[in-house]
Amino acid sequence: MKTAFYSLILSVCVFLAARGDLTIAYSTTVQPASDAQNAQASPGEAPPGAAAATNMTIKVKGDKVRIDVSSPQVTTILDGTTGELINLLNDKKTVVRISGDKMKAIADMLNKFSNKKENREKPRLIPTGQKEIINGYETEQYTYEGPDFKATYWIAPNYPNGAHVLAQLQSIKSEFWDAANTKMPDFRDFPGLPIRMQIIVGKENQPGEHGAAPAHPTEITSTVTGVSLDSIPDSQFSVPADFKETKLPNIFNKAAIPSASPSP
């Protein structure tokens, strides 16, 4: 499920058209939702049952985005002008490129094979009225619920430079959300910068239901650990000279795409 969270952040940035330089650092833990509800972590420790925290850093410079994840050691570079996505497998010194056209094809495939229901009302960000101090900042809690997930956001109205950071996040275009039918909230709905988000993905599935093995929802919690508006060198968005390029197989031709949507 770390991959799911990483993919979510990656999807957010695909159509980013941000201004200026921005660096946001996150710490993320993943665990079964049932464990999170039944156990409490000691201060400064990961919740019982959770994997070790994964550090992730997002850097934005103009129309380019760089995402670094500590485990696995992967760097992703996105070009908002061309739509190209570059994955750097740092431990193997390998680079994989996906062109803007292929990225558009991925969005089209997500739209075609999503479990989309017509006239489904878009979920709304709802304030709970609860307040909590997180990393020294007062936050207000909001919830957001979709068909296969439930999210809770802790928004810090007075976070330093929060309005500037939020303005950059709000420049994310909505085309990707619409194409993928994710029903995730638009950052333009947020009244302030969310410094913690908790997403419960999936639903409880009893043994034998639909012929499947038992499944349990997963809880992904991500907390902002640092924000910087310092200038970022252009070299951070370039491929290192000693990395070797690997090509992906072409999975976007007509023969590779099923003619009918999978059953729900």
Side-chain angles (χ1 to χ4, degrees), residues 134-236:
I134 295 178
N135 292 340
Y137 300 101
E138 184 176 273
T139 66
E140 300 170 357
Q141 188 184 90
Y142 287 74
T143 60
Y144 186 93
E145 190 165 358
D148 298 314
F149 71 93
K150 181 177 181 180
T152 303
Y153 298 91
W154 287 264
I155 293 175
N158 299 317
Y159 193 87
N161 297 312
H164 180 81
V165 175
L166 182 63
Q168 295 211 48
L169 295 175
Q170 288 174 335
S171 67
I172 298 168
K173 297 181 180 180
S174 61
E175 286 85 347
F176 184 82
W177 303 122
D178 295 339
N181 191 36
T182 59
K183 301 300 181 185
M184 292 300 292
D186 191 321
F187 273 99
R188 288 172 292 188
D189 296 335
F190 285 87
L193 179 67
I195 63 172
R196 174 173 292 170
M197 50 188 168
Q198 184 181 85
I199 304 174
I200 298 177
V201 182
K203 295 181 178 180
E204 195 76 29
N205 183 32
Q206 298 301 320
E209 186 177 338
H210 303 300
H216 304 285
T218 298
E219 180 183 289
I220 305 165
T221 302
S222 182
T223 303
V224 172
T225 57
V227 174
S228 172
L229 301 178
D230 293 344
S231 178
I232 303 172
D234 291 336
S235 59
Q236 288 285 294

Side-chain angles (χ1 to χ4, degrees), residues 17-76:
R19 300 179 179 88
D21 293 5
L22 170 67
T23 301
I24 305 180
Y26 293 90
S27 178
T28 301
T29 57
V30 181
Q31 66 177 326
S34 56
D35 289 352
Q37 294 169 359
N38 296 329
Q40 295 290 329
S42 300
E45 295 182 357
T54 296
N55 296 318
M56 180 176 66
T57 303
I58 299 176
K59 297 178 180 179
V60 181
K61 186 179 183 69
D63 58 358
K64 293 185 178 181
V65 179
R66 174 183 172 124
I67 305 169
D68 290 287
V69 180
S70 63
S71 179
Q73 296 181 26
V74 176
T75 296
T76 298

Side-chain angles (χ1 to χ4, degrees), residues 91-139:
D91 55 342
K92 298 181 179 179
K93 291 191 174 184
T94 300
V95 55
V96 179
R97 298 178 186 268
I98 304 178
S99 69
D101 289 341
K102 288 185 178 180
M103 288 301 299
K104 184 178 183 302
I106 290 172
D108 290 342
M109 289 176 68
L110 287 171
N111 182 43
K112 182 176 181 180
F113 299 114
S114 63
N115 293 325
K116 188 172 182 179
K117 294 182 179 179
E118 296 298 329
N119 302 319
R120 175 184 289 165
E121 183 180 355
K122 180 182 178 180
R124 296 180 298 118
L125 196 65
I126 301 174
T128 67
Q130 298 183 31
K131 295 185 178 182
E132 183 178 345
I133 301 297
I134 295 178
N135 292 340
Y137 300 101
E138 184 176 273
T139 66

